[in-house]
Amino acid sequence: KIRHGPLPMWKEPGGNYQFTPLIATVNTSISSVAGSQAGVDESFERLALKNFTMIRLGGDWETYFLGGAAEGIHLANAGIGISWGGINGTLCSAADLNRWTGGFILPTLTITGTEGRFCIERAECKFELNSENEEPLAGEMWLAIRHFDFKYETGKESRQCAGGNFESAVVSRRKRDLVNLSIRLTMDPFEWNSTLFGKGTMELELRNLAADGLVSLPALFQDVQVLAYQLSLANRWEKMFAEGMKILAGFLEQSPEIELTKLILENSKGDFSGRAKIVVDGRKTGSYPSPWILLSALIVDAQVSVSPDLLYYGTSETNAPGLIDLFELRGDTFKARLRAREGRFSLNSRSFSLKEFIK
């Protein structure tokens, strides 16, 4: 239902009527359509999805997404069952579509399949993004999940992971032709296959990412899809590889950096912590970087610390006893440090060449 301005009488999602100058308001809801696929149409109707949009006189607009609680929704052809507590979301945009703000709240969601189940409680997201002249998005995004539970079963194999108070925050900033990303993840104690882990924190920085390269990646995949009807599979891969190498070279010449500034994982068997920084010297990569040239252009400094009980547990779970040889026992903690520069590597106190490292 569309109501045209400039002075439409409209009802906001909260139920109150408003009388505000607008270009138009749009109300949208899902209903059954004769001849639609049995089951699918009914399932989506039970989700009770509604949308309300206001288009202001300046061209900017605001839209609300609403959905009522529903249980026992089955997608028969996919073998999937869905139950959820509804959804409440908003999305606002400037008239030039260069600035976006919004978010959503999802009280509960349970998805059940033939081989497992995924449940979340109280998922909430907020974001504020902007983009100009086809540049990559910049801004902030935040996501929090109060509780999650994932269980996978097939035959004799069973895996389960459950935890709570998961939070992630991503910040993207542009500086001339470069993009910097900051990522932070935190989580309260969680359980993995009956093993209890403590709080976890990760902070990651990605710096000097070429903005034009980030824009070119989606365009590359779109071109490949178009060429799917014109070229053979081998020729498509050849073209994709060639174009991908051009984008990679553009990334590397900006000397990108990846820095893991904090990684902490607490566990009943002990703690694990680490940090790392990887830098590519763009002066050495050239226009067609081979793997050997790329490795010689890397500058790496990575350090980890792990308690003995946790290291022994990890080696037994992965059936890789040789992992202990990578560490040195210092006091009551196992430590390891890997460094690389100009094709030379060192692990703890041992130094070796690239060929020796590969062996």
PDB file of all heavy atoms in Angstrom, residues 208-215 217 244 246-256 280 282:
ATOM      1  N   ASN A 208      46.697  -0.466   5.282  1.00  0.00           N
ATOM      2  CA  ASN A 208      47.210  -0.192   3.930  1.00  0.00           C
ATOM      3  C   ASN A 208      46.604  -1.116   2.880  1.00  0.00           C
ATOM      4  O   ASN A 208      47.307  -1.634   1.999  1.00  0.00           O
ATOM      5  CB  ASN A 208      48.742  -0.306   3.897  1.00  0.00           C
ATOM      6  CG  ASN A 208      49.409   0.652   4.857  1.00  0.00           C
ATOM      7  OD1 ASN A 208      48.851   1.679   5.212  1.00  0.00           O
ATOM      8  ND2 ASN A 208      50.616   0.307   5.292  1.00  0.00           N
ATOM      9  N   LEU A 209      45.291  -1.321   2.946  1.00  0.00           N
ATOM     10  CA  LEU A 209      44.604  -2.108   1.928  1.00  0.00           C
ATOM     11  C   LEU A 209      44.219  -1.186   0.776  1.00  0.00           C
ATOM     12  O   LEU A 209      43.606  -0.139   0.985  1.00  0.00           O
ATOM     13  CB  LEU A 209      43.357  -2.771   2.518  1.00  0.00           C
ATOM     14  CG  LEU A 209      43.568  -3.659   3.746  1.00  0.00           C
ATOM     15  CD1 LEU A 209      42.234  -4.248   4.193  1.00  0.00           C
ATOM     16  CD2 LEU A 209      44.577  -4.760   3.473  1.00  0.00           C
ATOM     17  N   ALA A 210      44.563  -1.581  -0.435  1.00  0.00           N
ATOM     18  CA  ALA A 210      44.285  -0.740  -1.606  1.00  0.00           C
ATOM     19  C   ALA A 210      42.780  -0.639  -1.837  1.00  0.00           C
ATOM     20  O   ALA A 210      42.104  -1.644  -2.043  1.00  0.00           O
ATOM     21  CB  ALA A 210      44.970  -1.320  -2.837  1.00  0.00           C
ATOM     22  N   ALA A 211      42.259   0.598  -1.810  1.00  0.00           N
ATOM     23  CA  ALA A 211      40.817   0.804  -1.956  1.00  0.00           C
ATOM     24  C   ALA A 211      40.319   0.356  -3.324  1.00  0.00           C
ATOM     25  O   ALA A 211      39.264  -0.279  -3.435  1.00  0.00           O
ATOM     26  CB  ALA A 211      40.481   2.277  -1.723  1.00  0.00           C
ATOM     27  N   ASP A 212      41.069   0.649  -4.389  1.00  0.00           N
ATOM     28  CA  ASP A 212      40.620   0.249  -5.722  1.00  0.00           C
ATOM     29  C   ASP A 212      40.610  -1.268  -5.873  1.00  0.00           C
ATOM     30  O   ASP A 212      39.786  -1.826  -6.596  1.00  0.00           O
ATOM     31  CB  ASP A 212      41.481   0.901  -6.803  1.00  0.00           C
ATOM     32  CG  ASP A 212      42.969   0.599  -6.626  1.00  0.00           C
ATOM     33  OD1 ASP A 212      43.341   0.037  -5.578  1.00  0.00           O
ATOM     34  OD2 ASP A 212      43.758   0.940  -7.528  1.00  0.00           O
ATOM     35  N   GLY A 213      41.525  -1.955  -5.179  1.00  0.00           N
ATOM     36  CA  GLY A 213      41.520  -3.409  -5.217  1.00  0.00           C
ATOM     37  C   GLY A 213      40.288  -3.997  -4.548  1.00  0.00           C
ATOM     38  O   GLY A 213      39.699  -4.967  -5.045  1.00  0.00           O
ATOM     39  N   LEU A 214      39.870  -3.416  -3.426  1.00  0.00           N
ATOM     40  CA  LEU A 214      38.666  -3.888  -2.744  1.00  0.00           C
ATOM     41  C   LEU A 214      37.432  -3.692  -3.613  1.00  0.00           C
ATOM     42  O   LEU A 214      36.509  -4.518  -3.608  1.00  0.00           O
ATOM     43  CB  LEU A 214      38.496  -3.143  -1.416  1.00  0.00           C
ATOM     44  CG  LEU A 214      39.563  -3.418  -0.350  1.00  0.00           C
ATOM     45  CD1 LEU A 214      39.348  -2.508   0.854  1.00  0.00           C
ATOM     46  CD2 LEU A 214      39.548  -4.880   0.091  1.00  0.00           C
ATOM     47  N   VAL A 215      37.410  -2.592  -4.373  1.00  0.00           N
ATOM     48  CA  VAL A 215      36.288  -2.339  -5.276  1.00  0.00           C
ATOM     49  C   VAL A 215      36.322  -3.294  -6.463  1.00  0.00           C
ATOM     50  O   VAL A 215      35.283  -3.739  -6.962  1.00  0.00           O
ATOM     51  CB  VAL A 215      36.313  -0.875  -5.756  1.00  0.00           C
ATOM     52  CG1 VAL A 215      35.254  -0.637  -6.826  1.00  0.00           C
ATOM     53  CG2 VAL A 215      36.097   0.067  -4.585  1.00  0.00           C
ATOM     54  N   LEU A 217      37.415  -6.429  -6.652  1.00  0.00           N
ATOM     55  CA  LEU A 217      37.145  -7.843  -6.397  1.00  0.00           C
ATOM     56  C   LEU A 217      35.716  -8.250  -6.741  1.00  0.00           C
ATOM     57  O   LEU A 217      35.511  -9.232  -7.467  1.00  0.00           O
ATOM     58  CB  LEU A 217      37.462  -8.172  -4.934  1.00  0.00           C
ATOM     59  CG  LEU A 217      38.951  -8.346  -4.597  1.00  0.00           C
ATOM     60  CD1 LEU A 217      39.139  -8.532  -3.100  1.00  0.00           C
ATOM     61  CD2 LEU A 217      39.531  -9.532  -5.354  1.00  0.00           C
ATOM     62  N   GLY A 244      43.056 -11.596 -11.252  1.00  0.00           N
ATOM     63  CA  GLY A 244      43.309 -11.663  -9.813  1.00  0.00           C
ATOM     64  C   GLY A 244      44.739 -11.300  -9.465  1.00  0.00           C
ATOM     65  O   GLY A 244      44.995 -10.638  -8.438  1.00  0.00           O
ATOM     66  N   LYS A 246      46.612  -9.194 -11.091  1.00  0.00           N
ATOM     67  CA  LYS A 246      46.739  -7.739 -11.197  1.00  0.00           C
ATOM     68  C   LYS A 246      46.241  -7.052  -9.926  1.00  0.00           C
ATOM     69  O   LYS A 246      46.865  -6.113  -9.417  1.00  0.00           O
ATOM     70  CB  LYS A 246      45.932  -7.232 -12.396  1.00  0.00           C
ATOM     71  CG  LYS A 246      46.488  -7.645 -13.753  1.00  0.00           C
ATOM     72  CD  LYS A 246      45.616  -7.089 -14.872  1.00  0.00           C
ATOM     73  CE  LYS A 246      46.128  -7.526 -16.239  1.00  0.00           C
ATOM     74  NZ  LYS A 246      45.262  -7.015 -17.342  1.00  0.00           N
ATOM     75  N   ILE A 247      45.103  -7.549  -9.408  1.00  0.00           N
ATOM     76  CA  ILE A 247      44.564  -6.971  -8.174  1.00  0.00           C
ATOM     77  C   ILE A 247      45.503  -7.235  -7.010  1.00  0.00           C
ATOM     78  O   ILE A 247      45.763  -6.356  -6.180  1.00  0.00           O
ATOM     79  CB  ILE A 247      43.162  -7.547  -7.890  1.00  0.00           C
ATOM     80  CG1 ILE A 247      42.188  -7.136  -9.008  1.00  0.00           C
ATOM     81  CG2 ILE A 247      42.650  -7.081  -6.527  1.00  0.00           C
ATOM     82  CD1 ILE A 247      40.822  -7.769  -8.880  1.00  0.00           C
ATOM     83  N   LEU A 248      46.055  -8.473  -6.954  1.00  0.00           N
ATOM     84  CA  LEU A 248      46.988  -8.820  -5.879  1.00  0.00           C
ATOM     85  C   LEU A 248      48.225  -7.928  -5.918  1.00  0.00           C
ATOM     86  O   LEU A 248      48.695  -7.452  -4.876  1.00  0.00           O
ATOM     87  CB  LEU A 248      47.385 -10.289  -5.993  1.00  0.00           C
ATOM     88  CG  LEU A 248      48.434 -10.793  -4.977  1.00  0.00           C
ATOM     89  CD1 LEU A 248      47.905 -10.637  -3.549  1.00  0.00           C
ATOM     90  CD2 LEU A 248      48.821 -12.231  -5.263  1.00  0.00           C
ATOM     91  N   ALA A 249      48.744  -7.694  -7.116  1.00  0.00           N
ATOM     92  CA  ALA A 249      49.923  -6.838  -7.241  1.00  0.00           C
ATOM     93  C   ALA A 249      49.625  -5.427  -6.741  1.00  0.00           C
ATOM     94  O   ALA A 249      50.462  -4.788  -6.096  1.00  0.00           O
ATOM     95  CB  ALA A 249      50.388  -6.801  -8.702  1.00  0.00           C
ATOM     96  N   GLY A 250      48.408  -4.935  -7.025  1.00  0.00           N
ATOM     97  CA  GLY A 250      48.016  -3.620  -6.530  1.00  0.00           C
ATOM     98  C   GLY A 250      47.943  -3.576  -5.016  1.00  0.00           C
ATOM     99  O   GLY A 250      48.310  -2.571  -4.392  1.00  0.00           O
ATOM    100  N   PHE A 251      47.461  -4.669  -4.413  1.00  0.00           N
ATOM    101  CA  PHE A 251      47.426  -4.752  -2.954  1.00  0.00           C
ATOM    102  C   PHE A 251      48.844  -4.735  -2.376  1.00  0.00           C
ATOM    103  O   PHE A 251      49.143  -4.005  -1.427  1.00  0.00           O
ATOM    104  CB  PHE A 251      46.718  -6.035  -2.503  1.00  0.00           C
ATOM    105  CG  PHE A 251      45.234  -5.898  -2.359  1.00  0.00           C
ATOM    106  CD1 PHE A 251      44.385  -6.581  -3.198  1.00  0.00           C
ATOM    107  CD2 PHE A 251      44.691  -5.083  -1.384  1.00  0.00           C
ATOM    108  CE1 PHE A 251      43.007  -6.465  -3.080  1.00  0.00           C
ATOM    109  CE2 PHE A 251      43.325  -4.955  -1.246  1.00  0.00           C
ATOM    110  CZ  PHE A 251      42.480  -5.649  -2.094  1.00  0.00           C
ATOM    111  N   LEU A 252      49.715  -5.564  -2.935  1.00  0.00           N
ATOM    112  CA  LEU A 252      51.044  -5.755  -2.352  1.00  0.00           C
ATOM    113  C   LEU A 252      51.929  -4.524  -2.480  1.00  0.00           C
ATOM    114  O   LEU A 252      52.763  -4.266  -1.605  1.00  0.00           O
ATOM    115  CB  LEU A 252      51.720  -6.966  -3.018  1.00  0.00           C
ATOM    116  CG  LEU A 252      51.020  -8.304  -2.810  1.00  0.00           C
ATOM    117  CD1 LEU A 252      51.772  -9.415  -3.522  1.00  0.00           C
ATOM    118  CD2 LEU A 252      50.872  -8.630  -1.324  1.00  0.00           C
ATOM    119  N   GLU A 253      51.781  -3.756  -3.557  1.00  0.00           N
ATOM    120  CA  GLU A 253      52.657  -2.598  -3.732  1.00  0.00           C
ATOM    121  C   GLU A 253      52.381  -1.501  -2.700  1.00  0.00           C
ATOM    122  O   GLU A 253      53.184  -0.588  -2.526  1.00  0.00           O
ATOM    123  CB  GLU A 253      52.516  -2.041  -5.141  1.00  0.00           C
ATOM    124  CG  GLU A 253      51.199  -1.354  -5.429  1.00  0.00           C
ATOM    125  CD  GLU A 253      51.139  -0.802  -6.844  1.00  0.00           C
ATOM    126  OE1 GLU A 253      52.060  -1.089  -7.637  1.00  0.00           O
ATOM    127  OE2 GLU A 253      50.161  -0.084  -7.147  1.00  0.00           O
ATOM    128  N   GLN A 254      51.263  -1.598  -1.990  1.00  0.00           N
ATOM    129  CA  GLN A 254      50.951  -0.635  -0.931  1.00  0.00           C
ATOM    130  C   GLN A 254      51.537  -1.058   0.419  1.00  0.00           C
ATOM    131  O   GLN A 254      51.309  -0.396   1.434  1.00  0.00           O
ATOM    132  CB  GLN A 254      49.430  -0.476  -0.788  1.00  0.00           C
ATOM    133  CG  GLN A 254      48.733   0.008  -2.044  1.00  0.00           C
ATOM    134  CD  GLN A 254      49.166   1.399  -2.447  1.00  0.00           C
ATOM    135  OE1 GLN A 254      49.614   2.193  -1.616  1.00  0.00           O
ATOM    136  NE2 GLN A 254      49.044   1.708  -3.733  1.00  0.00           N
ATOM    137  N   SER A 255      52.294  -2.149   0.443  1.00  0.00           N
ATOM    138  CA  SER A 255      52.898  -2.675   1.685  1.00  0.00           C
ATOM    139  C   SER A 255      51.843  -2.905   2.770  1.00  0.00           C
ATOM    140  O   SER A 255      51.859  -2.285   3.848  1.00  0.00           O
ATOM    141  CB  SER A 255      53.980  -1.726   2.194  1.00  0.00           C
ATOM    142  OG  SER A 255      55.039  -1.606   1.274  1.00  0.00           O
ATOM    143  N   PRO A 256      50.892  -3.818   2.515  1.00  0.00           N
ATOM    144  CA  PRO A 256      49.839  -4.064   3.508  1.00  0.00           C
ATOM    145  C   PRO A 256      50.387  -4.712   4.779  1.00  0.00           C
ATOM    146  O   PRO A 256      51.437  -5.379   4.748  1.00  0.00           O
ATOM    147  CB  PRO A 256      48.889  -5.020   2.772  1.00  0.00           C
ATOM    148  CG  PRO A 256      49.770  -5.711   1.766  1.00  0.00           C
ATOM    149  CD  PRO A 256      50.767  -4.688   1.334  1.00  0.00           C
ATOM    150  N   VAL A 280      54.130  -6.879   4.248  1.00  0.00           N
ATOM    151  CA  VAL A 280      54.671  -7.167   2.912  1.00  0.00           C
ATOM    152  C   VAL A 280      55.399  -5.924   2.420  1.00  0.00           C
ATOM    153  O   VAL A 280      54.811  -4.839   2.341  1.00  0.00           O
ATOM    154  CB  VAL A 280      53.558  -7.549   1.923  1.00  0.00           C
ATOM    155  CG1 VAL A 280      54.149  -7.799   0.539  1.00  0.00           C
ATOM    156  CG2 VAL A 280      52.810  -8.784   2.410  1.00  0.00           C
ATOM    157  N   GLY A 282      56.238  -3.811  -0.214  1.00  0.00           N
ATOM    158  CA  GLY A 282      55.746  -3.627  -1.570  1.00  0.00           C
ATOM    159  C   GLY A 282      56.806  -3.271  -2.581  1.00  0.00           C
ATOM    160  O   GLY A 282      56.591  -3.419  -3.789  1.00  0.00           O
TER     161      GLY A 282
END
